């Protein structure tokens, strides 16, 4: 069930989850979902076309989106999020609105539950970002529904904010949707927040078909 404060009802779209076969480290076949057909297209972005992130850049993009360092841990270590499966992650990035910055949509397979994700947001509301020099991430958790959550993050160095992230996330089973607006201004205006919620609504419908 999808319920996010301020999200308008989207037109229902039936999304069929395809899958491909891969191999686990012990050689046993595992099913990796093909998330490409469940990812919104370029024209759905509110401020300009969303461009697919090239495969070779996906690991770095996932690290930025999830605040999970590639080769280190956050401090405290328990505030390092679970690793997202980069092999099937689908990421599109488009331009931001009046606040500048970028708009990102990612659909990816994850190892943890939605409840675990929300708990992590709440319990790690202030941590040092691994792999950086003095960057702290402060998170404010907004409305939470059955399978969606709204949050805002502030990134700062030496107490001076330099970036903010407005995020809407939703999850069905082991597939999670992230919709982010990352910008450097003080805050998003009401029209920008509405645009992000509409984008999330469309991306959610495409990803989960309800």
């Amino acid at each position: 069930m999808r319920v996010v404060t301020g999200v308008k009802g989207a037109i229902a779209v039936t999304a069929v989850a395809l899958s491909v076969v891969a191999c686990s480290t012990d050689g046993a076949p595992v099913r990796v979902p093909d998330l490409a057909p469940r990812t919104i297209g370029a024209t759905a972005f509110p401020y300009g076309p969303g461009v697919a992130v090239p495969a070779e850049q996906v690991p770095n993009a996932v690290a930025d989106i999830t605040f999970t360092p590639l080769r280190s841990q956050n401090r405290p270590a328990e505030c390092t999020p679970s690793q997202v499966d980069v092999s099937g992650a689908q990421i599109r990035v488009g331009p931001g609105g009046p606040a500048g910055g970028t708009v990102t949509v990612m659909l990816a397979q994850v190892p943890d539950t939605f409840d675990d994700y929300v708990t992590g947001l709440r319990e790690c509301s202030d941590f040092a970002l691994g792999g950086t020099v003095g960057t702290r991430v402060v998170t404010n958790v907004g409305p939470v529904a059955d399978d969606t959550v709204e949050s805002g993050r502030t990134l700062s160095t030496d107490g001076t904010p330099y970036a903010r992230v407005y995020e809407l996330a939703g999850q069905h089973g082991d597939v999670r949707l992230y919709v982010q607006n990352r910008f450097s201004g003080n805050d998003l205006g009401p029209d920008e927040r509405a645009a992000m919620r509409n984008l999330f609504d469309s991306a959610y419908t495409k990803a989960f078909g309800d």
Side-chain angles (χ1 to χ4, degrees):
M1 176 180 179
R2 170 187 42 139
V3 181
V4 173
T5 302
V7 179
K8 297 179 179 179
I11 298 174
V13 177
T14 301
V16 179
L18 304 177
S19 62
V20 296
V21 176
C23 291
S24 64
T25 54
D26 61 1
V30 295
R31 300 195 70 80
V32 179
D34 180 6
L35 301 178
R38 299 167 56 179
T39 304
I40 59 170
T43 59
F45 284 66
Y47 303 111
V51 178
V53 172
E56 64 273 12
Q57 296 177 20
V58 166
N60 286 324
V62 169
D64 288 341
I65 294 165
T66 62
F67 298 91
T68 308
L70 290 175
R71 288 171 288 277
S72 61
Q73 291 186 318
N74 296 332
R75 299 181 301 279
E78 56 266 28
C79 288
T80 304
S82 301
Q83 292 283 347
V84 167
D85 181 6
V86 301
S87 63
Q90 299 292 316
I91 308 172
R92 288 188 181 274
V93 179
T102 56
V103 172
T104 301
V105 175
M106 178 172 79
L107 195 63
Q109 190 174 27
V110 296
D112 54 338
T113 68
F114 175 73
D115 288 343
D116 289 338
Y117 179 69
V118 175
T119 297
L121 290 177
R122 287 172 168 158
E123 294 185 350
C124 292
S125 60
D126 188 348
F127 63 89
L129 184 60
T132 66
V133 179
T135 295
R136 297 201 69 84
V137 181
V138 175
T139 302
N140 294 306
V141 181
V144 180
D146 292 343
D147 57 10
T148 61
V149 58
E150 179 179 341
S151 63
R153 288 189 170 100
T154 299
L155 284 65
S156 62
T157 301
D158 296 328
T160 302
Y162 68 87
R164 302 177 194 275
V165 180
Y166 175 62
E167 178 184 280
L168 295 158
Q171 184 168 336
H172 277 201
D174 63 352
V175 176
R176 185 177 301 150
L177 168 68
Y178 299 78
V179 174
Q180 293 184 349
N181 191 326
R182 185 177 295 231
F183 55 99
S184 57
N186 290 328
D187 202 357
L188 296 180
D191 289 346
E192 290 172 280
R193 285 180 177 266
M196 291 301 298
R197 288 169 177 148
N198 287 336
L199 175 62
F200 176 77
D201 194 55
S202 298
Y204 183 105
T205 300
K206 181 70 174 179
F208 303 126
D210 56 4

